[in-house]
Amino acid sequence: MDDKKIIINASPEKSKVKVLKSLRQIVKFSNNINDYDLFSVVDTYTPKQNDLFFSIIANVYEQHSNTIVFTSEKMRKIMAYERHESPKQFGEFLDKSFMKFMAIQEKTLSIDEKTGDKILTRRHLFQVVEINLNTLECKVQVDPEFINLFNNLENWTRFSLLQYTRLRSMYSKRLYRYLKQYRTIGKRSFTVDEFKEKLHISKSYKPGNIDQRILIPAIEELAAIFFNLKVDKIYAKGKKGRKLASYLFTWRKEQKNRKDINVNKILDKSIAIYYIRQNQYLSAEQKFEAIDRYKGLRSGTTAKIYQHDHPQTFFIEKAKKNGSRGLFVREDLNVVDNYSLSDLKSVVLIYERMNKEALLLRDDMSDLVELEIKLIKRQLANWIAHMQKDPNFEKSLNVPKEDTIVNRLFNHKLFDIFQVSNTDFKLDDAEIDRIRFNVGMQVRDEFAQFKNLKNKIIVDDFDNFFQDDDLPDINYDLPGTNYDLLDGN
């Protein structure tokens, strides 16, 4: 580690104990953490220890010199730690991890102005680490000298803890952090030597080794996060021919106020699969591998499903063994019953957007119709619930925006009926069937309109769905194959 001081805290702050009722899922820290080697040792830890470290870093943000207190169960949940391990085993994991964290230190060399003596100082990142061995409650305090890494930031790196902990390769984790530092720029270049140093790659690795063991797996894993991610090799001309000089990573830049996490499993999954399948720089085989990596499946699983089951869904879900189809082809769509009204509407909008790009397949379109039905039922139930709480509610009630198919087709009629109805108003089966038929017709029409366009332009505009300057603290509970379909043709 270099003998340099990168943080100066001029005014010590009073410390107090703060119990965190909920844990942040956004990691945000000064770019100094990426630009200097103070935290490089963290990348030598096990992946789960690395995840725990950044889970803690996410939660010391804007806490200044306070001692933060959190339950291990909440930490275990947000870092997706193995559920099968007992509390005792998790306690042992915490102890071993914190022992390593306490070793993170900065070494500085200064000169005493009066005596001229050389002064060597070592400061540890964490001043306090405490584990209650009975309750597994944890306490952590950052040394005051380092609080400017996490407070009052002018230049920072920000990323989703959920995305980070899902990455399996340490190379992918390291690269992810460096690319996220440039998320609103859309490109990041490394010289060969810099790339090896920052990703902790053996100096003995040749370009071919880096391609096979690091670059290809990392690009496949990160394709679910960065839209149209690719890497170009830049060569320099020399006396003995071309020599690899640098790696250039490019992707579609993000808007500054885009959320890094949607707090909605279906949206996260839908966008991830969309990013993979629409990546112009991945082969069909790489897309299969990328989906396997994202879903945590054995290599080759998605390719096998695609070859033998001929899925009728953009998301390449495995068909049910008995061949019967439930309400949704994507079983995870069942969780929308537990979603807020705004989250359910976001799912519908994503499906509609993909339908207009002619990406949805037969079963997906059926799923969209059922989601639209759920949306209008939820809106109606929401109106009734408000009416029961406030008799004057209908006077200030506004018709929902006509930005979904079901709203465009039926909201005005439902609104008019509701205004003169009592709170027992329900949609009968005949009305639901009529809505389902008309929505289904509209879904097919919108699909056909885009399908017939000669020039289809794929544009990732998910930024328009999810925007925020910063995310508040949240609890997240939450055969000879025809490859044309996978290539988005």
Side-chain angles (χ1 to χ4, degrees):
M1 184 176 296
D2 295 339
D3 297 339
K4 59 177 72 173
K5 193 168 185 63
I6 63 172
I7 301 299
I8 297 177
N9 182 43
S11 56
E13 303 178 5
K14 291 184 179 180
S15 178
K16 60 182 180 180
V17 176
K18 183 173 182 180
V19 179
L20 301 182
K21 296 182 179 180
S22 60
L23 298 182
R24 286 176 53 86
Q25 289 238 49
I26 293 297
V27 183
K28 190 172 183 178
F29 50 65
S30 167
N31 285 340
N32 284 335
I33 291 181
N34 274 341
D35 296 338
Y36 292 86
D37 63 355
L38 178 64
F39 295 89
S40 62
V41 66
V42 178
D43 286 327
T44 67
Y45 301 162
T46 67
K48 280 303 174 187
Q49 288 173 339
N50 187 283
D51 291 345
L52 174 63
F53 176 81
F54 283 101
S55 299
I56 293 173
I57 292 303
N59 288 281
V60 299
Y61 173 68
E62 291 297 347
Q63 294 300 329
H64 299 272
S65 58
N66 294 334
T67 298
I68 63 169
V69 182
F70 55 88
T71 65
S72 64
E73 193 56 40
K74 289 182 179 178
M75 184 63 73
R76 184 172 182 160
K77 182 176 293 185
I78 69 167
M79 60 177 289
Y81 193 83
E82 291 84 350
R83 294 182 179 180
H84 67 274
E85 290 202 358
S86 67
K88 180 180 178 181
Q89 290 173 311
F90 189 62
E92 292 173 350
F93 163 76
L94 290 173
D95 182 35
K96 291 179 181 178
S97 301
F98 283 152
M99 182 173 64
K100 290 185 176 181
F101 300 165
M102 288 295 286
I104 299 174
Q105 61 176 273
E106 178 193 37
K107 182 175 69 172
T108 61
L109 187 62
S110 59
I111 304 297
D112 188 302
E113 294 182 355
K114 295 181 178 180
T115 65
D117 294 341
K118 294 181 178 179
I119 308 298
L120 179 65
T121 305
R122 293 181 182 271
R123 285 191 175 275
H124 295 271
L125 172 64
F126 295 116
Q127 184 167 287
V128 173
V129 167
E130 181 181 305
I131 307 171
N132 185 317
L133 295 180
N134 291 326
T135 65
L136 296 185
E137 182 180 77
C138 301
K139 295 181 180 180
V140 174
Q141 181 188 23
V142 174
D143 187 286
E145 285 291 321
F146 295 99
I147 63 173
N148 287 347
L149 285 174
F150 314 107
N151 300 272
N152 305 320
L153 304 179
E154 295 183 2
N155 298 292
W156 62 80
T157 297
R158 188 184 78 179
F159 58 83
S160 160
L161 187 60
L162 178 64
Q163 288 179 343
Y164 186 76
T165 57
R166 291 187 72 157
L167 299 174
R168 288 165 174 76
S169 164
M170 282 304 302
Y171 293 120
S172 297
K173 288 179 181 289
R174 295 163 196 157
L175 183 57
Y176 172 87
R177 296 203 309 268
Y178 287 114
L179 297 188
K180 275 294 182 178
Q181 185 176 348
Y182 293 79
R183 68 186 185 89
T184 60
I185 297 175
K187 63 180 179 180
R188 175 69 157 96
S189 178
F190 303 87
T191 65
V192 173
D193 291 339
E194 180 187 18
F195 190 66
K196 287 183 176 181
E197 178 185 355
K198 290 189 176 297
L199 268 68
H200 296 252
I201 300 171
S202 172
K203 293 182 179 180
S204 64
Y205 271 29
K206 303 296 183 183
N209 300 130
I210 294 177
D211 287 351
Q212 295 301 317
R213 299 184 183 183
I214 298 166
L215 279 179
I216 293 176
I219 290 294
E220 290 175 355
E221 200 164 12
L222 297 178
I225 299 170
F226 299 92
F227 186 66
N228 262 342
L229 176 65
K230 71 167 181 173
V231 57
D232 290 314
K233 298 177 183 178
I234 310 301
Y235 291 88
K237 293 183 179 180
K239 295 182 179 179
K240 298 182 179 179
R242 297 195 313 166
K243 181 179 180 181
L244 182 61
S246 60
Y247 297 101
L248 175 62
F249 293 85
T250 57
W251 62 96
R252 183 186 183 275
K253 64 182 181 181
E254 299 176 14
Q255 292 184 9
K256 290 183 179 180
N257 59 346
R258 177 177 178 174
K259 288 183 181 180
D260 292 287
I261 186 171
N262 302 318
V263 201
N264 181 319
K265 293 180 180 180
I266 294 175
L267 291 180
D268 286 331
K269 179 178 179 181
S270 301
I271 293 172
I273 301 301
Y274 176 91
Y275 278 11
I276 291 170
R277 294 198 55 181
Q278 299 302 92
N279 189 302
Q280 302 173 28
Y281 309 105
L282 294 180
S283 67
E285 290 80 3
Q286 285 180 306
K287 292 178 182 180
F288 285 140
E289 287 297 314
I291 293 173
D292 284 341
R293 292 180 189 278
Y294 175 77
K295 294 183 178 181
L297 302 174
R298 181 180 298 179
S299 177
T301 300
T302 301
K304 186 176 181 180
I305 292 172
Y306 194 83
Q307 292 168 5
H308 297 291
D309 291 342
H310 302 290
Q312 287 299 312
T313 166
F314 176 86
F315 303 98
I316 316 183
E317 299 290 331
K318 187 174 183 180
K320 295 180 180 179
K321 291 182 179 179
N322 58 12
S324 64
R325 185 180 185 280
L327 181 61
F328 295 116
V329 66
R330 284 180 63 189
E331 293 183 1
D332 59 350
L333 289 180
N334 288 313
V335 304
V336 298
D337 289 332
N338 301 319
Y339 281 2
S340 66
L341 178 58
S342 60
D343 265 5
L344 172 57
K345 186 175 179 180
S346 295
V347 174
V348 171
L349 287 172
I350 287 290
Y351 264 68
E352 286 193 16
R353 138 74 186 276
M354 295 177 67
N355 187 55
K356 290 176 181 177
E357 290 189 21
L359 294 175
L360 297 188
L361 302 183
R362 181 194 64 202
D363 287 345
D364 297 321
M365 286 189 272
S366 297
D367 286 348
L368 173 55
V369 173
E370 297 306 322
L371 287 169
E372 300 272 6
I373 298 297
K374 284 184 177 291
L375 176 62
I376 202 166
K377 284 182 175 180
R378 183 74 66 82
Q379 287 174 336
L380 181 59
N382 191 50
W383 291 348
I384 293 174
H386 280 83
M387 173 67 88
Q388 291 172 335
K389 292 180 181 179
D390 180 8
N392 297 318
F393 172 71
E394 65 175 319
K395 296 179 181 179
S396 60
L397 182 65
N398 295 318
V399 181
K401 295 180 181 179
E402 296 181 351
D403 50 3
T404 65
I405 291 175
V406 72
N407 286 355
R408 290 195 297 273
L409 294 179
F410 298 102
N411 261 343
H412 283 290
K413 178 184 177 183
L414 285 173
F415 179 81
D416 292 340
I417 294 175
F418 178 76
Q419 292 286 69
V420 297
S421 170
N422 59 44
T423 56
D424 292 328
F425 172 64
K426 295 181 181 180
L427 293 171
D428 59 29
D429 291 342
E431 184 69 15
I432 288 292
D433 286 341
R434 191 177 76 83
I435 293 175
R436 181 178 285 110
F437 174 80
N438 283 279
V439 170
M441 291 289 290
Q442 188 68 26
V443 167
R444 289 189 289 274
D445 287 346
E446 290 188 356
F447 177 91
Q449 289 173 18
F450 188 89
K451 191 73 173 177
N452 292 330
L453 293 179
K454 293 182 179 179
N455 298 316
K456 302 173 188 176
I457 301 175
I458 298 172
V459 179
D460 165 40
D461 60 358
F462 287 121
D463 285 355
N464 296 329
F465 285 99
F466 318 107
Q467 294 187 1
D468 201 348
D469 288 331
D470 197 7
L471 202 67
D473 293 345
I474 53 176
N475 271 319
Y476 193 88
D477 288 316
L478 315 169
T481 308
N482 181 347
Y483 292 127
D484 288 347
L485 182 60
L486 192 65
D487 285 325
N489 295 322

